[in-house]
Amino acid sequence: MTLRSETKGMILFTKDHREKDKLVKIFTEKHGKIMFFVRGARGRNSSVAPAILPFTEATYIADINSDGLSFLKDYKELENFKLIQQDIFVSAYATYILNLVDVAIEDQTYDPALYGFTKQALMYLNKGLDAEIITNIFELQLLSRFGYDFEWKGCSVCGETHGRFDFSSQYSGVLCERHWEMDRRRYHADPKAIHFMRLFASITLDQIESITLKEDTKLAIRQTVDLLYDEFTGVRLKSKKFIDEMKSWEGMLKPLPTKEKEVDND
């Protein structure tokens, strides 16, 4: 069955196909993720070439098939995320976010909430806000799409919401300090990292401008989120590996940031 549709969408990735064609995966607002065949996309006179560049959102006109490839016909209302396209550091985080979306849900799964969340993340990256914090927020809130709904608000045993916490796989959430002994295999994570992860699991991205973190806290958060993803999702993406490698050489390409005061938003 073929459906002619007009829908907003964001480019997830493109792949060369044959001599002049491309396969383009688009996260559409109306139909979820779809792989499109784009005939002549690599030719000089391709009318859709501007709309299939990385980090682009447009309204796409397409023939969508329930089985097999769909076909991209035309577009309108094009928007490029220019900073993401031009900055290798920002584009690395944007690529990772889009790759996570691709593995988190099945193709042709209608998920307008995730579409909106993904677009908002790209918009904030494109504004030059802290890419690491945006990515951490996205990772933690995306865990529900992998089937995990951890308890972050309070202790999984007693419900306590204040104090020092650690993450427990056994209890599927955080434990307050009084109950750490109930799980000797808890993460033994930096309590400061857990504090911000609890915050990130529930805040909206429009609150990000009020958060600044020291580099050692960011590292502790990164390490703990990685533990979560390794244990529960098994997802290991090349784009994530690139970010990890990038951290070792980014200082050689741009000035080191001035250390900012850490804000406790609890």
Side-chain angles (χ1 to χ4, degrees):
M1 178 179 176
T2 300
L3 171 70
R4 173 61 63 94
S5 180
E6 185 173 307
T7 177
K8 286 186 177 180
M10 291 176 285
I11 300 298
L12 292 177
F13 66 83
T14 66
K15 183 179 181 181
D16 291 343
H17 182 69
R18 299 175 181 166
E19 186 177 349
K20 294 184 178 180
D21 308 325
K22 278 185 178 290
L23 296 176
V24 181
K25 197 161 198 179
I26 301 177
F27 186 20
T28 72
E29 186 175 35
K30 290 183 179 179
H31 310 286
K33 302 180 300 158
I34 298 177
M35 183 70 83
F36 291 96
F37 176 80
V38 188
R39 189 181 304 278
R42 300 166 64 192
R44 293 183 179 179
N45 299 321
S46 171
S47 61
V48 298
I52 59 175
L53 293 173
F55 314 118
T56 297
E57 183 189 45
T59 298
Y60 296 96
I61 301 166
D63 289 336
I64 297 174
N65 294 316
S66 55
D67 296 312
L69 292 174
S70 297
F71 297 88
L72 189 62
K73 297 298 184 180
D74 205 350
Y75 75 93
K76 60 183 182 179
E77 299 170 2
L78 175 70
E79 178 182 359
N80 292 316
F81 297 102
K82 293 184 179 180
L83 176 64
I84 299 175
Q85 291 176 337
Q86 297 168 0
D87 189 309
I88 186 173
F89 297 99
V90 181
S91 69
Y93 288 97
T95 299
Y96 175 52
I97 284 173
L98 293 172
N99 289 171
L100 281 177
V101 169
D102 195 24
V103 299
I105 59 173
E106 297 294 328
D107 286 358
Q108 298 200 27
T109 298
Y110 177 63
D111 197 336
L114 181 57
Y115 183 91
F117 187 40
T118 305
K119 179 178 178 179
Q120 189 180 35
L122 295 185
M123 288 174 61
Y124 279 101
L125 287 174
N126 200 57
K127 288 173 64 176
L129 299 181
D130 195 307
E132 292 174 88
I133 295 177
I134 293 170
T135 301
N136 290 151
I137 293 171
F138 195 88
E139 289 172 305
L140 288 168
Q141 296 190 20
L142 192 67
L143 283 168
S144 63
R145 296 306 193 282
F146 290 101
Y148 299 103
D149 187 18
F150 298 122
E151 176 56 61
W152 294 104
K153 291 183 179 179
C155 177
S156 298
V157 174
C158 68
E160 177 62 65
T161 58
H162 295 88
R164 289 156 53 92
F165 292 83
D166 197 4
F167 184 84
S168 167
S169 301
Q170 179 181 340
Y171 288 90
S172 298
V174 294
L175 294 177
C176 69
E177 191 170 9
R178 288 187 298 143
H179 293 104
W180 282 356
E181 75 280 358
M182 296 185 69
D183 183 6
R184 294 186 178 182
R185 295 186 178 179
R186 60 188 172 84
Y187 274 26
H188 297 275
D190 184 337
K192 191 173 290 185
I194 298 296
H195 164 75
F196 283 103
M197 288 172 65
R198 292 175 63 213
L199 175 67
F200 292 171
S202 61
I203 69 170
T204 58
L205 284 170
D206 57 14
Q207 295 173 272
I208 188 175
E209 292 184 77
S210 65
I211 301 171
T212 55
L213 300 178
K214 294 178 181 177
E215 290 302 317
D216 57 350
T217 302
K218 286 185 179 182
L219 177 59
I221 294 169
R222 174 77 273 148
Q223 292 171 337
T224 310
V225 173
D226 285 351
L227 283 175
L228 272 174
Y229 264 75
D230 287 344
E231 179 177 1
F232 290 98
T233 72
V235 171
R236 292 178 174 83
L237 298 171
K238 290 182 179 179
S239 51
K240 173 59 170 59
K241 183 179 179 182
F242 179 78
I243 288 173
D244 293 340
E245 294 173 348
M246 180 179 71
K247 295 295 291 182
S248 67
W249 47 263
E250 64 179 343
M252 296 184 291
L253 299 182
K254 63 181 183 180
L256 290 173
T258 303
K259 281 196 173 184
E260 297 174 312
K261 182 181 179 182
E262 189 171 282
V263 177
D264 188 326
N265 295 83
D266 194 17

